[in-house]
Amino acid sequence: MINFENVSCRVLKSISLNIPKGETVGLIGKSGAGKTTLIKLAGGLLAPESGRIFTLGKDPVENRNLYREKISVFIAGTPLLCRDDTVSQGFEIIRSVYGISKSDFAKRYEALSARLSFSKYGSEPVKNLSLGERMRAEIGAALIYEPELLILDEPNIGLDENAKFVLGQLLSERRGAGMTTLLSSHDMASVPKICSRIALLDKGELVFYGSTESLRSRYTPTNTMSLKIEGRLPDLEDLPLEKYSINGSAISLSYNSNHVTAAEILRTVLRQTAVSKVSIKKPDLEDLISKLRGSKNEFY
Amino acid sequence: MSLRPYLAYAKKIFLNRSAYRFDNVMGIISTCLQFFIFWEIYKALYGTSTDIDGITMPMVTTNFILSMGLGAIFSPDDYFLPSKIWDGSIATEFLRPISFKGRMIAENVGNALFNLLFRFLPCLIIALFTVGVNAPASPAMLALFVLSAVLGFGVLWTISFAVQMTAFWLINIWSLITIKNVLINVLSGSMIPLWFMPRELTAILNFMPFSSVYFTPVQIYLGQLSFEEIMLKCGIQLAWIIVIYLLGDILWRKGQKKLIVQGG
C-alpha cells in the first residue's frame, strides 16, 4: 500500500519502509522525530528530497487527484470540517464531494456518530465544540467515505479512554474489510493495542519496524510467571529459567521467551504437581518504547 | 466531473449567510447609507444645473445605484485562500477529489446570489421609492447589461483570485487586498463616475480591468454605447478575465509546488 525507498526529507534520513495491504501501522517517536513529515510524504502533501515513494502503487504527489476517494488523511490541527458549518452540514458536504448515495451515507453516519458519540451535537457549529468532541467528529469524517488507506496523524489528541477504545475497535473492524492504516501517536499505551505493526522513529531514523510481538521478543524477551502450587513443589532445575523464587506454595519465575515458552514451563510443572493459579506478565511495551528511545545505543 | 459538490458548497454558503439576520439588515442599511451620502454630495455639486458635459443628475444617480448595487452583489471572499493557509486546512483541501478553484467559484456564486436577493433588491426598491432610477435604455440593453455585469463579476473574481494566490509566499496579504479594493473603488466608477475623470485618464481607464467591472455595465444600461462598442467592451472584459485568470493560475501552480516542497 505504501512503499518508501530510501526516502530523505527534512529530518528523515533514508527511510525504507513497506506497509502491506491490511496492516495497521503505528508510527511512534518523540516530537521532532519526523512522524508528521513521514505522514505527509505518504499522503502526497510533501515531496521527498531524495528517494521514491509509492502510495497505492503510484507517486502520491504526481497522482494526487487520481485516487483521492481511496485515501483519507487526517492531520490533527488541520480541520476536515469547516469551522462555521454544523457537524451534519460538514458531513453533507463530504457526502456530496465523495458522491455517496443519501441512504448509504445516512446509515454510515448513524453508526459512526453513535459509536464515536457525536450524534447529539450534529446541529452544533463545529467551532462551538470542545477539542474532544471535535476530534471525534473529525475522525468520523475521515472514516465515513470508507477509504482503502487511512492516514491519521495524532488521532488520540483530546480523546478520552472510551473514545480511544472505540477508535481501536473501528480500525480493527475496517482492517477486517481490507483497510490499511498508518497512524502516528505519542500515546504509547494505546498504540500497541490498536496496531499490528510498529514503526519507531528516532531523530529521523527508522530504528524499528515490525510486529508488536517481534518488538517485544527482540528487546524485552523476559517474561515473568507466577504459579500457585497445590501439593508438592516441582523441580525446575532442568528448565532454562533466568531465575525463580519459592515462597510457601507460590512460585515466581522469570524466563526468556526466546529460549523457553510458557507452555513448556507449564507442561513441566503440571507433570509433577497440581497448579491452582497461573499468571503471566509480559513487559509493558510502553516501558520498552521509552527505554528504547531513551537509550538507543544500548540496542544498536 | 459532477457539479453536485459545487452546488452543495454554493447552497451551504447561501444558507450560512441567511443565519445572520442582524448582519443582513445592517448590510442593507450600510449600502443605502453609502449611496445616499454620495447622492447628496453630487446633488450639491450639481446645484441648479441640469447637466454637466451632457451628464444629468439622474444618470449619476443611476450610476451609483447600479455600481454600488453590483458592488454589494459582487463580494468575493478575499480571504478564502489566505485563511486556509493560516489554519493549515489548505493541505486537506488538496486531498479532496474536487477542484479547489471550482469550490472557490461555487462559494462566491452562492454568496453573490444571496447578496442579489437580500442586499441588491432591497436597496434597489428603497432607491426606486426615494430618488428614482432611470429605466434601462431598452429591453435589449437590459439583457446586455446583465451579460456585461456577469462578465464584470468574472473580472472582479479573477482579480481577487490572483491577489489571493500571493498568500502562498506573503502569508499575510491584508495590505495587498486593501490596495486592490481601493483601486477598484476609485477606478471602476463606483465612487467617481468615470465621465468626470480627465479625458486622458479615461482613455487609459477604458482599457483597464477596473472600469470593466462596474462602469461598462452601467454605460450599457444607460444606452450610452452602440452595439459595436458594447461588443468591444465585452471583449475587453473577456480578455481581462482570461489574462488575469492565467496569471493567477500560474501563481496557483507555483504556490502548490512551494507548499509540497516546503510543507504547509
Side-chain angles (χ1 to χ4, degrees), chain B residues 104-202:
Chain B
M104 200 165 156
I105 295 173
E107 294 206 5
N108 282 320
V109 168
N111 201 20
L113 280 178
F114 179 87
N115 287 331
L116 172 70
L117 291 177
F118 298 105
R119 187 144 308 167
F120 177 71
L121 284 182
C123 291
L124 184 68
I125 290 165
I126 292 170
L128 274 175
F129 285 102
T130 50
V131 294
V133 180
N134 278 7
S138 69
M141 286 302 161
L142 183 64
L144 286 170
F145 160 77
V146 172
L147 171 74
S148 162
V150 169
L151 287 173
F153 179 57
V155 175
L156 196 69
W157 187 85
T158 49
I159 294 174
S160 170
F161 168 69
V163 169
Q164 286 186 53
M165 291 307 135
T166 61
F168 279 117
W169 295 268
L170 306 173
I171 313 297
N172 201 340
I173 56 163
W174 178 85
S175 49
L176 264 190
I177 289 172
T178 309
I179 292 170
K180 178 209 84 169
N181 287 340
V182 167
L183 282 178
I184 288 174
N185 280 337
V186 174
L187 301 181
S188 70
S190 76
M191 259 181 194
I192 308 157
L194 296 187
W195 298 304
F196 302 132
M197 292 283 190
R199 203 163 296 276
E200 300 76 25
L201 192 58
T202 324

Side-chain angles (χ1 to χ4, degrees), chain A residues 137-209:
Chain A
E138 302 255 14
I139 287 170
L143 279 167
I144 198 151
Y145 55 93
E146 298 184 347
E148 283 178 32
L149 173 63
L150 176 68
I151 300 177
L152 300 170
D153 186 30
E154 298 289 354
N156 279 341
I157 291 177
L159 296 187
D160 57 24
E161 290 309 315
N162 182 43
K164 281 181 201 167
F165 177 73
V166 173
L167 174 64
Q169 258 187 341
L170 285 169
L171 293 187
S172 79
E173 283 164 27
R174 290 292 166 83
R175 192 183 165 201
M179 185 178 76
T180 313
T181 307
L182 171 64
L183 66 91
S184 77
S185 185
H186 286 113
D187 195 343
M188 302 301 165
S190 69
V191 166
K193 282 179 215 150
I194 294 179
C195 299
S196 56
R197 287 193 187 201
I198 300 280
L200 184 61
L201 279 177
D202 189 48
K203 298 192 187 104
E205 283 173 54
L206 189 65
V207 296
F208 176 83
Y209 176 58

Side-chain angles (χ1 to χ4, degrees), chain B residues 10 15 17 31 55 68 71 83 110 113 138 152 163 168 192 198 216 247:
Chain B
L15 293 176
R17 282 290 304 281
T31 305
I55 307 299
M68 282 178 188
S83 67
L113 280 178
S138 69
V163 169
F168 279 117
I192 308 157
T216 300
L247 188 75

